[in-house]
Amino acid sequence: MKKLFLLLFFLAPMALFAQNKALDDKISVDFDQTPIAVALQQVEQKADFRLSYNPKSIDLNRVVSYKAEDVAAQKVLQHILGDNISIKAKGQYVILQKYSPEKKEFYIVGYIIDRQSGEYLSNVSVYEPQSLASALTNQHGYYRIKLARNQRDIDLQFSKNDYEPHYENVSQRIDYHLDVNMNPERPVKVLNSEIAPIQSTPLRIDSLPKLGQNNPRIDSVEVSSNPKSKSLDFSKELYFIEEKKDQFLEWLMSTKQAIHSRNHIDSLYRTFQVSFLPFLGTNHKLSPFVTNDYSFNIIAGYTGNVNKLELGGMANIVRRDMIGLQMAGMSNIVGRQMQGVQMAGLTNVNLGHASGLLAAGTANLVLKNGSGVQLAGGANIHLGELKGVQIAAFNYAKKIQGFQLGVVNIADEIQGTSIGLFNYVKRNGYRRLEFSLSELNATELSFKTGSKPFYNIFAAAYNYNQLNKPQAGLGYGIGTSWKYNTWLGSNLDLLAMTYLHEFENIDDSSWGQQFRLSVGIEAKLGKRIAIFAAPTLNFYATDENNNLHFDGYKLLLSKNDIHDWFSPNSTLYSWLGYKVGLRLCNRS
């Protein structure tokens, strides 16, 4: 089903080719100076097929001596006919044809055998690095590969998982038979039977490799100082992508390409490639293992690495590294590392590291560390450490050094600022649950969330039917804070509140609008508890249908009639006030 889904996704039918099973059936023969015509009749009788050939193309009077037990019928035919006769199965018929000397191609056929056990090896990759011709051995170890006669140098390579690679130089340009023996990989020997216990030593920072040196890359491992803390970590929800990314990249291949992948074919290079589909292009079936400087995919393509430029009508898939510019109408997928510019109409998916500019109409997804700018119409999700900028409706980064701008911004840890309607930072964020009172409200409840440079305020107020006060209100605001030491800090808040003046008749009740600017001082009584006090500057607009009057406020600054705010006769009050209360704090 997965292959059918993939084919429908790329909007193109595919044809699957396989050798007729009859040629793989094992038979036993014993020819002793037997004419070819008689030998062919005996093979036809013992095998489950009918032979079709032109008697003029085969020397039927030539005699052959050959004895074999439980051998594939195809191998028997090749032995008695020689390499100048092609053997092709079609339905219940096996067609024998003489190779034409005018053909531009020739074939090498043979069997691949385990040198130690003598067993025939299935699923061995046979390929030629320059032309990218390739083949796989079947269950009986048989292969057949087509090569170009005009190619100057031909070196066949044989590769299989758990076996040493094998190389054969092809000097002839005619069809011939070539059997290959492959050696199993030698197991790693342990010199000492006893292994000494590992002695732990302190880690010296100056012993670590410095940036810029030719040292192998070491991925950082983060150890939490508080193992009991549970962080808001979306990587836990999407971890199956990281854990199964190799299987995912293999799923995008055809069955034969997946087998080639397990045989570790990765040393192929071409300057450019053109693909119509991942299975149809100039890189042929080895496309996921070829490095190209330039890659052009009419509908979609699958390459091993791209060094400079890749363009795709619908999708670009790079199994390992992408360096340069990558553009697709729908999606870009990179398996290991992206450096440069990545643009897609829908999504960019980077299953490893990503550095540069990522722009997508819907979403950008990066599993590991990266740097640069991420732009998306829907979401940016970065499951590693990001040094740069995220701009989208929804942004998430496990750890970010930089800036987030969006409607919703979430980070596990941030060194920088998140600006949006809702911001949440787990480890070093700013969160306060606040209980307070003011000259206007008997009870206020506020929740502040974000980071110290910028946080959001969600507020509610209630006055228990007190005279000359609004009944209830809801508000939203923004703020910033400063921390002077472990127990003292301050805040600057700007809050907008909408009030309902009475509950009895909500439809006819008047409404009020308050804007409040406050500068507060916070003193911690412990790690989680703080008290605060703040002078405030207030502006309150109300219509004529209410019983609220702020004329008695001692610090009333102004009272002005305004028109067409809530009603034709609205009044705007301004005054200086206060706010005091208790805060429950996070550990930042």
Side-chain angles (χ1 to χ4, degrees), residues 376-392:
N380 292 311
I381 300 175
H382 198 110
L383 303 184
E385 179 178 348
L386 171 64
K387 297 180 180 179
V389 177
Q390 286 185 319
I391 301 177

Side-chain angles (χ1 to χ4, degrees), residues 191-352:
L191 298 180
N192 298 323
S193 59
E194 295 184 0
I195 300 177
I198 298 175
Q199 300 295 328
S200 60
T201 56
L203 177 64
R204 292 175 54 88
I205 299 300
D206 56 5
S207 66
L208 296 178
K210 298 180 179 179
L211 294 177
Q213 293 182 348
N214 295 324
N215 296 310
R217 186 177 68 233
I218 301 176
D219 292 334
S220 61
V221 178
E222 184 174 342
V223 180
S224 175
S225 60
N226 183 10
K228 294 183 179 180
S229 65
K230 294 182 179 180
S231 62
L232 184 67
D233 189 352
F234 279 89
S235 62
K236 295 178 181 178
E237 303 298 329
L238 299 173
Y239 183 71
F240 69 95
I241 301 179
E242 164 66 17
E243 188 180 28
K244 302 294 184 181
K245 75 172 186 177
D246 291 336
Q247 291 89 328
F248 171 72
L249 292 170
E250 186 174 294
W251 180 85
L252 294 172
M253 303 179 191
S254 67
T255 301
K256 291 184 177 180
Q257 287 172 331
I259 296 173
H260 284 311
S261 176
R262 299 184 200 118
N263 291 335
H264 307 297
I265 301 177
D266 282 310
S267 58
L268 308 177
Y269 170 81
R270 276 191 170 183
T271 304
F272 70 91
Q273 74 91 25
V274 178
S275 292
F276 183 75
L277 290 168
F279 316 117
L280 184 59
T282 57
N283 282 346
H284 307 296
K285 296 177 182 179
L286 297 181
S287 58
F289 319 104
V290 181
T291 297
N292 297 113
D293 289 336
Y294 303 93
S295 176
F296 305 100
N297 305 306
I298 298 174
I299 294 180
Y302 195 163
T303 57
N305 301 278
V306 176
N307 290 333
K308 295 181 181 179
L309 172 66
E310 183 170 48
L311 304 176
M314 290 180 63
N316 296 314
I317 305 170
V318 178
R319 190 169 69 96
R320 290 200 166 184
D321 299 335
M322 168 68 213
I323 301 174
L325 173 63
Q326 187 182 46
M327 300 177 66
M330 291 180 61
S331 297
N332 293 309
I333 300 175
V334 176
R336 189 168 66 180
Q337 183 171 352
M338 195 288 296
Q339 295 181 5
V341 178
Q342 194 177 52
M343 305 178 73
L346 288 178
T347 58
N348 293 311
V349 178
N350 291 280
L351 303 179

Side-chain angles (χ1 to χ4, degrees), residues 572-587:
L572 177 64
Y573 296 90
S574 64
W575 71 89
L576 295 177
Y578 70 91
K579 184 181 178 183
V580 295
L582 179 71
R583 290 173 177 169
L584 300 181
C585 313
N586 65 320
R587 290 181 177 271

Side-chain angles (χ1 to χ4, degrees), residues 151-166:
Q151 185 173 335
R152 183 174 180 179
D153 298 316
I154 299 179
D155 291 296
L156 278 186
Q157 300 188 20
F158 303 82
S159 179
K160 181 175 175 58
N161 190 29
D162 297 329
Y163 282 81
E164 295 179 357
H166 186 85

Side-chain angles (χ1 to χ4, degrees), residues 320-578:
R320 290 200 166 184
D321 299 335
M322 168 68 213
I323 301 174
L325 173 63
Q326 187 182 46
M327 300 177 66
M330 291 180 61
S331 297
N332 293 309
I333 300 175
V334 176
R336 189 168 66 180
Q337 183 171 352
M338 195 288 296
Q339 295 181 5
V341 178
Q342 194 177 52
M343 305 178 73
L346 288 178
T347 58
N348 293 311
V349 178
N350 291 280
L351 303 179
H353 303 264
S355 300
L357 172 63
L358 279 67
T362 301
N364 294 306
L365 172 64
V366 181
L367 263 64
K368 294 187 177 180
N369 299 341
S371 61
V373 179
Q374 297 178 357
L375 305 173
N380 292 311
I381 300 175
H382 198 110
L383 303 184
E385 179 178 348
L386 171 64
K387 297 180 180 179
V389 177
Q390 286 185 319
I391 301 177
F394 174 82
N395 296 304
Y396 169 78
K398 184 177 179 63
K399 183 177 181 180
I400 181 170
Q401 298 181 32
F403 178 74
Q404 287 180 315
L405 177 63
V407 178
V408 177
N409 301 303
I410 297 176
D412 201 55
E413 184 176 348
I414 189 169
Q415 296 178 16
T417 306
S418 297
I419 297 180
L421 294 180
F422 179 83
N423 300 279
Y424 183 91
V425 181
K426 171 59 183 179
R427 289 184 186 147
N428 61 339
Y430 182 86
R431 286 184 301 284
R432 298 291 188 270
L433 181 60
E434 183 178 288
F435 304 90
S436 63
L437 60 87
S438 67
E439 77 286 344
L440 182 64
N441 297 312
T443 301
E444 288 189 31
L445 176 65
S446 301
F447 177 64
K448 300 178 178 180
T449 176
S451 58
K452 293 181 183 68
F454 184 92
Y455 54 80
N456 311 110
I457 307 171
F458 302 89
Y462 187 66
N463 279 305
Y464 309 99
N465 297 317
Q466 294 184 15
L467 296 176
N468 205 32
K469 291 182 182 291
Q471 292 301 304
L474 293 174
Y476 174 83
I478 58 176
T480 185
S481 71
W482 298 269
K483 185 176 181 180
Y484 305 116
N485 52 44
T486 57
W487 64 275
L488 185 64
S490 62
N491 301 81
L492 175 64
D493 295 345
L494 177 62
L495 183 70
M497 294 279 288
T498 298
Y499 290 94
L500 176 66
H501 289 162
E502 60 183 27
F503 286 138
E504 294 180 358
N505 190 356
I506 295 179
D507 293 337
D508 296 330
S509 175
S510 61
W511 297 79
Q513 181 71 51
Q514 179 194 26
F515 294 93
R516 182 175 68 200
L517 179 67
S518 63
V519 179
I521 298 296
E522 174 186 278
K524 283 192 172 182
L525 304 179
K527 292 183 178 180
R528 298 277 188 163
I529 300 177
I531 57 174
F532 76 95
T536 62
L537 174 62
N538 300 271
F539 298 89
Y540 196 104
T542 180
D543 62 24
E544 62 181 358
N545 298 322
N546 68 81
N547 297 320
L548 296 183
H549 302 284
F550 304 106
D551 298 338
Y553 280 12
K554 294 181 179 180
L555 297 178
L556 183 68
L557 299 178
S558 65
K559 175 183 177 182
N560 299 297
D561 292 332
I562 55 176
H563 300 285
D564 298 328
W565 187 294
F566 292 100
S567 67
N569 295 310
S570 300
T571 303
L572 177 64
Y573 296 90
S574 64
W575 71 89
L576 295 177
Y578 70 91

